Structure formats: structure tokens, C-alpha cells
Amino acid sequence: MGAYHEVSSVRLLSDIDHTGRTGGPMNDQATSTRAPRRLDDAIEVATQIAAAVRGIDLRRDGADSVTIRVGPSAWSATVVTRDALSIGGARTLIDRHPSGACLIVAHQISADAKDFLADHNERHPGRQWSWLDQRGELALHHGAAIGVVDRAGPAHRDPAPLPGGWRLAAPISGGPIRGRAGIGYGVALLLSPTRAPSIREVARRIGMSHGAVGTASLLLREYGLVRSDGRPQVPELFEAVAKVWQPPRVTPVRTVPSAAVAARLGAIGAADDDGWCIGGDNAALAWGAPVMSGGSRPWIWVPDLASARRAERALVVGSWDDHAAVIAVAPTPLVGTNRCPPPRPVPPEFLPTAHPVFLALELAQDPTRGREILAGWQPVETEFTRVW
């Protein structure tokens, strides 16, 4: 979501009276005056941190609310402050705020609480929770924008360029494809180039509103990337999607997942279930891409941020200099629901690969080597239509 810079003026919030007093009329009065001040501090902190990130704007629009703008999309969120948030506290907050978008600002938020909130966001697209963990993470979740900005922590949070020319997802304010709806609709057309899926079908498959996907489809038509009969203009649409094909999160891990670990994390299922899949050179090679040799470290796509967090804890976060595999969050849910058994095994063998269209989008991120491979690649299975 863009480069994230240290903000020296960030202040930590606390629900504890620094005088140490508990109880009594004077302390009750102090508590009543601290509550709005704590909320003011929280909004100030969030505003300062957002200002340090390209493409994100956060401004107060009420006593306890802010407007968050990511690229061309904007939404209002109620601000909730906590000193520390556990999974139990997260459950309580969701019960107290049954509708609308919320932004939690806390000194620290447990990993379990973040997983719980991310899972809730996946199940309830209309009730989105974002958070600012002041130890070093801003996570924005909304129908039009999703991503994590980290300012501290292990190697996977380093703002340095990722291996292989990859970039993390960033807000998009121009061009034919903007946001999750645009990526999802564009990809759906590339997956079915001879029979265009309906807008309603795509909206259901990517978990977004019919209106958002409809707007995305109109924009693609305006740019001449969709034909009058609804079919994609190829390879032009492929090139447009390739320009914005960026994962929200990429993490090197120290261990290659075993079948048992993957099953425990919910990664294994039918090919059209939402699960993990293998990308990278190994997978492309299995589908007939003219790759000289596959990489020794698996690149594994997972469907969402919650899945990535669980995988990172189970497989242990490593560094780019010393890792056994890579865990990456897919740019669209369609990656996880269009997995394919490869023509020949790819380690780890218990996982399917990503669809060849997604493997081609990966290769397109390398402007030299990747483009040469794409030019000479026709997937070995005739049921797949080449769209690049």
C-alpha cells in the first residue's frame, strides 16, 4: 500500500490514569475528561500516520469518526480506542458496533484479535473493521480498499524492493482498473474469455457489491478493454491487469508447509474451494512455460490476510536471505477458487497450482525474463485459452 515512514510524534494511548489513582469522585471526574481527550489523541495519531503513507488520507469528520480515503475511494469510520485488545475484546466491540465501518486505535492488538477481525471482515463485507496497532501496523479493510502498512518488525516488513520485481499493492487512482472490483472483474474475463460471466456472478465470486463490479465493468468498456459482446479484448486486458497485479502482503517463511500443517490451517480442499495454491517458476514450468529451471523455494498464494497471519505463525517468519518458502496474499479471491491440479507434480505436491492465467500474470511482473517466457508459452492443457 505504499512506503511507510516512521512518525516520531506518535504517542501511546492508555486506559490507565498515570497518577495511579483508582476510585473516588476526583478520579471519576478525571476519567470522564480523559475519555474525549484519549479519542482526540487517537485520531491525531491515526491522522499523522496516514499522512506518512502515499495515497492514503485520513481526516476527522465528527466527534468520534474519520473519513479514510485510499486513492479514489473514501468511507467514514467510527474510531474506537483501547490500550490493548484481545480476541475477547474484539468480540465485544463487534457486538457493540453491529453496523458500519470502524477503526480501532490501540497500543497493542493481539494476533488472535487481528485474525478474528480479518475473518469477520471476510464474512461480513458490509461491516468492515480496520485497525492501527501502534507497535507498527495500520490495516485498512473496506469494500474498495484492503491492505496492511507495516513500519516495524521482521524482514518481511522491510520497505526494500521484494525479490523478482514484485511490489506490494498500492492505491490506484487512475487507469482502467482501480481497486478490488476492477481487478476481480478483469481477471474473471481473462479466466473465461469466450463466455463472459455476468456482473452479478463476478460480484458473488469476489464478495463485492453488484454496483461496485458494474462500475468497474463500465470503466473497462470506456478504455476499450471489453468488446461489445462482453468478451475481453486480449492481450490488452491482460496487460492492464498485469500493471496492477500486486499482493497486499508477501512474507518469507523458514519452513515449507507439510500436508498436516496445511490441513490444520484450512489450506487443502477441492480445487474450486478457497484455499492455498502454488505459484512461481515451479508451477509455470509444470504447465509448459519455457522456464530454464524452477525455483527451489515454493511461492504459495493464500486467499486473505487472516490466512497469511496463521501461516506466518505456523511456518515462522524468516528473511529474504534465509527462507524456505514465500507466503503471499492473492490480489483477488479468484486465485484461491480457481486452483488447478498441475500436469506434473510441483512441490509441495499436496497443493494444486494457481490457474495458468495467474501464473502468466506473475511472469509479467518481470519486464525482461518474464516477458520472454510469456512470448513462447502456450499452456499444455488445450482447455485453457491463452490471453497474453
Side-chain angles (χ1 to χ4, degrees):
M1 293 181 64
Y4 191 96
H5 307 288
E6 184 71 31
V7 181
S8 59
S9 58
V10 170
R11 288 171 285 169
L12 300 182
L13 308 181
S14 176
D15 289 327
I16 302 173
D17 183 4
H18 295 293
T19 66
R21 294 175 296 177
T22 58
M26 292 183 64
N27 189 59
D28 291 342
Q29 182 179 2
T31 300
S32 66
T33 59
R34 282 201 311 273
R37 185 166 63 246
R38 188 168 63 243
L39 183 61
D40 291 342
D41 288 348
I43 293 177
E44 180 181 347
V45 167
T47 301
Q48 290 175 338
I49 289 178
V53 184
R54 178 181 60 84
I56 299 179
D57 181 66
L58 187 150
R59 299 187 183 186
R60 191 170 198 160
D61 64 11
D64 64 347
S65 62
V66 295
T67 294
I68 304 172
R69 182 175 295 277
V70 180
S73 302
W75 67 95
S76 182
T78 300
V79 178
V80 180
T81 67
R82 288 292 185 274
D83 177 41
L85 186 69
S86 65
I87 186 171
R91 290 193 180 100
T92 300
L93 284 179
I94 287 176
D95 290 340
R96 289 179 180 176
H97 299 269
S99 62
C102 291
L103 170 66
I104 302 169
V105 180
H107 179 188
Q108 58 183 358
I109 303 175
S110 73
D112 287 343
K114 293 174 183 177
D115 288 347
F116 177 77
L117 292 169
D119 284 337
H120 177 273
N121 289 336
E122 291 291 326
R123 295 193 305 270
H124 304 88
R127 297 171 57 193
Q128 298 289 283
W129 287 79
S130 300
W131 60 82
L132 170 59
D133 182 335
Q134 294 187 57
R135 294 175 300 175
E137 180 181 89
L138 171 65
L140 298 179
H141 294 262
H142 189 258
I146 184 171
V148 176
V149 180
D150 296 302
R151 69 180 173 92
H156 74 287
R157 294 174 178 173
D158 194 316
L162 299 172
W166 280 98
R167 299 164 293 158
L168 291 181
I172 304 166
S173 58
I177 298 178
R178 307 171 191 177
R180 297 166 61 200
I183 293 174
Y185 187 69
V187 163
L189 292 178
L190 294 175
L191 290 171
S192 182
T194 59
R195 186 198 68 82
S198 69
I199 292 174
R200 191 171 301 280
E201 178 185 354
V202 174
R204 177 184 56 79
R205 290 166 62 190
I206 67 175
M208 298 197 68
S209 69
H210 180 275
V213 177
T215 299
S217 71
L218 290 175
L219 195 58
L220 290 182
R221 289 180 182 273
E222 290 177 6
Y223 276 80
L225 299 177
V226 177
R227 301 180 181 184
S228 58
D229 60 3
R231 292 182 298 148
Q233 189 74 39
V234 294
E236 290 82 2
L237 179 58
F238 175 88
E239 296 296 337
V241 173
K243 289 180 180 179
V244 297
W245 191 251
Q246 301 161 20
R249 187 183 187 96
V250 177
T251 308
V253 292
R254 296 180 181 176
T255 307
V256 176
S258 65
V261 169
R264 176 168 57 83
L265 296 176
I268 302 176
D272 57 352
D273 288 341
D274 196 6
W276 296 11
C277 58
I278 305 170
D281 286 358
N282 283 335
L285 182 61
W287 285 100
V291 180
M292 293 299 295
S293 62
S296 59
R297 300 181 178 95
W299 179 285
I300 300 174
W301 289 110
V302 299
D304 50 46
L305 292 167
S307 299
R309 291 183 189 281
R310 289 191 288 268
E312 289 163 14
R313 288 203 299 273
L315 305 176
V316 186
V317 173
S319 70
W320 290 116
D321 295 327
D322 181 20
H323 67 284
V326 175
I327 300 296
V329 178
T332 172
L334 295 178
V335 175
T337 55
N338 287 273
R339 302 177 296 160
C340 301
R344 64 183 189 185
V346 180
E349 289 80 2
F350 56 86
L351 288 177
T353 69
H355 189 286
V357 166
F358 300 128
L359 301 176
L361 287 168
E362 291 182 43
L363 289 170
Q365 304 310 304
D366 188 331
T368 53
R369 169 183 167 275
R371 291 293 175 171
E372 291 176 359
I373 293 172
L374 285 177
W377 180 26
Q378 173 63 50
V380 294
E381 294 290 327
T382 57
E383 63 185 88
F384 299 130
T385 302
R386 177 176 170 172
V387 292
W388 55 88

